[in-house]
Coordinates of all heavy atoms in Angstrom, one line a residue:
A297 N 0.8 -1.2 0.0 CA 0.0 0.0 0.0 C 0.9 1.3 0.0 O 1.8 1.3 0.8 CB -0.9 0.0 1.2
I298 N 0.6 2.1 -0.9 CA 1.2 3.5 -0.9 C 0.1 4.5 -0.6 O -0.9 4.6 -1.3 CB 1.8 3.8 -2.3 CG1 2.9 2.7 -2.6 CG2 2.5 5.2 -2.2 CD1 2.3 1.7 -3.6
V299 N 0.3 5.3 0.5 CA -0.7 6.2 1.0 C 0.0 7.6 1.1 O 1.1 7.8 1.5 CB -1.2 5.8 2.4 CG1 -2.3 6.8 2.8 CG2 -1.6 4.4 2.4
L300 N -0.8 8.6 0.6 CA -0.4 10.0 0.7 C -1.6 10.9 1.2 O -2.7 10.7 0.6 CB 0.2 10.5 -0.5 CG 0.7 12.0 -0.5 CD1 2.0 12.1 -1.4 CD2 -0.3 12.9 -1.1
G301 N -1.4 11.7 2.2 CA -2.6 12.4 2.7 C -2.2 13.8 3.1 O -1.0 14.1 3.2
D302 N -3.2 14.7 3.4 CA -3.0 16.1 3.7 C -4.0 16.5 4.7 O -5.2 16.6 4.4 CB -3.0 16.9 2.5 CG -2.7 18.4 2.8 OD1 -2.4 18.7 3.9 OD2 -2.8 19.2 1.8
V303 N -3.6 16.8 6.0 CA -4.5 17.2 7.0 C -4.8 18.7 6.9 O -3.8 19.4 6.6 CB -3.9 16.9 8.4 CG1 -4.8 17.4 9.5 CG2 -3.7 15.4 8.6
A304 N -6.0 19.1 6.9 CA -6.3 20.6 6.8 C -5.6 21.3 7.9 O -5.6 21.0 9.1 CB -7.8 20.8 6.9
G305 N -4.8 22.4 7.5 CA -4.1 23.1 8.5 C -2.6 22.8 8.5 O -2.2 21.9 7.6
K306 N -1.9 23.3 9.4 CA -0.4 23.1 9.4 C 0.0 23.3 10.9 O -0.7 23.7 11.7 CB 0.4 23.9 8.4 CG 0.0 25.4 8.4 CD 0.7 26.0 7.2 CE 0.2 27.4 7.0 NZ -1.1 27.5 6.4
G307 N 1.3 23.0 11.1 CA 1.9 23.1 12.4 C 1.5 22.0 13.3 O 1.2 20.9 12.9
V308 N 1.7 22.3 14.7 CA 1.6 21.2 15.7 C 0.1 20.5 15.6 O 0.0 19.3 15.7 CB 1.8 21.8 17.0 CG1 1.5 20.7 18.1 CG2 3.3 22.1 17.2
P309 N -1.0 21.2 15.6 CA -2.3 20.6 15.5 C -2.4 19.6 14.3 O -2.9 18.5 14.5 CB -3.3 21.7 15.4 CG -2.6 22.9 16.0 CD -1.2 22.7 15.6
A310 N -2.0 20.0 13.2 CA -2.1 19.2 12.0 C -1.1 18.0 12.2 O -1.5 16.8 11.7 CB -1.6 19.9 10.7
A311 N 0.0 18.2 12.8 CA 1.0 17.1 13.0 C 0.4 16.0 13.9 O 0.6 14.8 13.7 CB 2.3 17.6 13.5
L312 N -0.3 16.4 15.0 CA -0.9 15.5 15.9 C -2.0 14.7 15.2 O -2.1 13.6 15.4 CB -1.5 16.3 17.1 CG -0.5 16.9 18.0 CD1 -1.1 17.8 19.1 CD2 0.4 15.9 18.7
F313 N -2.8 15.4 14.3 CA -3.9 14.7 13.7 C -3.2 13.7 12.6 O -3.8 12.6 12.4 CB -4.7 15.7 12.9 CG -6.1 15.3 12.7 CD1 -7.1 15.6 13.7 CD2 -6.5 14.5 11.7 CE1 -8.4 15.2 13.5 CE2 -7.8 14.1 11.5 CZ -8.8 14.5 12.4
M314 N -2.1 14.1 12.0 CA -1.4 13.2 11.1 C -1.0 12.0 11.8 O -1.1 10.8 11.3 CB -0.2 13.9 10.5 CG 0.5 13.1 9.5 SD 1.8 12.1 10.1 CE 3.2 13.2 10.2
A315 N -0.5 12.0 13.1 CA -0.1 10.9 13.8 C -1.3 9.9 14.0 O -1.2 8.7 14.0 CB 0.5 11.3 15.2
R316 N -2.5 10.5 14.3 CA -3.6 9.7 14.4 C -4.0 9.0 13.1 O -4.4 7.8 13.1 CB -4.8 10.6 14.9 CG -6.2 9.9 14.9 CD -6.3 8.9 16.0 NE -7.6 8.3 16.1 CZ -8.7 8.8 16.8 NH1 -8.5 9.9 17.4 NH2 -9.8 8.2 16.7
L317 N -3.8 9.7 12.0 CA -4.1 9.2 10.7 C -3.2 7.9 10.4 O -3.6 7.0 9.9 CB -3.9 10.3 9.6 CG -4.1 9.8 8.2 CD1 -5.5 9.3 7.9 CD2 -3.8 11.0 7.3
L318 N -1.9 8.1 10.8 CA -1.0 7.0 10.4 C -1.4 5.7 11.2 O -1.4 4.7 10.6 CB 0.4 7.5 10.9 CG 1.6 6.5 10.8 CD1 2.9 7.2 10.4 CD2 1.8 5.7 12.1
S319 N -1.7 5.8 12.4 CA -2.2 4.6 13.2 C -3.4 4.1 12.6 O -3.6 2.9 12.4 CB -2.4 5.1 14.6 OG -3.0 4.0 15.3
S320 N -4.4 4.9 12.3 CA -5.6 4.5 11.7 C -5.4 3.8 10.3 O -6.1 2.7 10.1 CB -6.6 5.6 11.5 OG -7.8 5.2 10.9
T321 N -4.6 4.3 9.5 CA -4.4 3.7 8.2 C -3.8 2.3 8.3 O -4.3 1.4 7.7 CB -3.4 4.6 7.4 OG1 -3.9 5.9 7.3 CG2 -3.2 4.0 6.0
R322 N -2.7 2.2 9.1 CA -2.1 0.8 9.3 C -3.1 -0.2 9.9 O -3.1 -1.3 9.5 CB -0.8 1.0 10.1 CG 0.3 1.6 9.4 CD 1.6 1.8 10.2 NE 2.7 2.2 9.4 CZ 3.6 1.4 8.9 NH1 3.5 0.1 9.1 NH2 4.6 1.8 8.1
N323 N -3.9 0.3 10.8 CA -4.7 -0.6 11.6 C -5.9 -1.2 10.6 O -6.1 -2.4 10.5 CB -5.4 0.1 12.7 CG -6.4 -0.8 13.4 OD1 -6.2 -1.9 13.9 ND2 -7.7 -0.3 13.5
H324 N -6.5 -0.3 9.8 CA -7.6 -0.7 9.0 C -7.1 -1.5 7.7 O -7.8 -2.3 7.2 CB -8.4 0.5 8.6 CG -9.2 1.0 9.7 ND1 -10.2 0.3 10.4 CD2 -9.1 2.2 10.4 CE1 -10.7 1.1 11.4 NE2 -10.1 2.2 11.4
L325 N -5.9 -1.2 7.2 CA -5.4 -1.9 6.1 C -5.2 -3.3 6.4 O -5.3 -4.2 5.6 CB -4.1 -1.2 5.6 CG -4.2 -0.2 4.5 CD1 -2.8 0.5 4.4 CD2 -4.6 -0.7 3.2
M326 N -4.8 -3.6 7.7 CA -4.6 -4.9 8.1 C -5.9 -5.8 8.4 O -5.9 -7.0 8.5 CB -3.7 -5.0 9.3 CG -2.3 -4.5 9.1 SD -1.4 -5.5 7.9 CE 0.2 -4.6 7.8
T327 N -6.9 -5.1 8.6 CA -8.2 -5.8 9.0 C -9.3 -5.7 7.9 O -10.2 -6.5 8.0 CB -8.7 -5.1 10.2 OG1 -8.9 -3.7 10.1 CG2 -7.8 -5.3 11.4
E328 N -9.2 -4.8 6.9 CA -10.3 -4.7 5.9 C -9.9 -5.5 4.7 O -8.6 -5.7 4.4 CB -10.5 -3.2 5.6 CG -11.0 -2.4 6.7 CD -12.3 -2.8 7.3 OE1 -13.1 -3.5 6.6 OE2 -12.6 -2.5 8.5

């Protein structure tokens, strides 16, 4: 799987949301 995404906004809030996205992506790719 090759994934590329863009969280609305930038800086620390966007980076924290990006971390959540990374975990969610790997988890659901393995189960769906």
Side-chain angles (χ1 to χ4, degrees):
I298 301 102
V299 187
L300 182 142
D302 184 1
V303 177
K306 43 188 172 290
V308 174
L312 293 173
F313 210 91
M314 183 273 274
R316 172 70 179 272
L317 174 63
L318 178 143
S319 173
S320 177
T321 303
R322 286 178 170 262
N323 177 56
H324 290 295
L325 270 170
M326 294 298 180
T327 56
E328 300 296 338

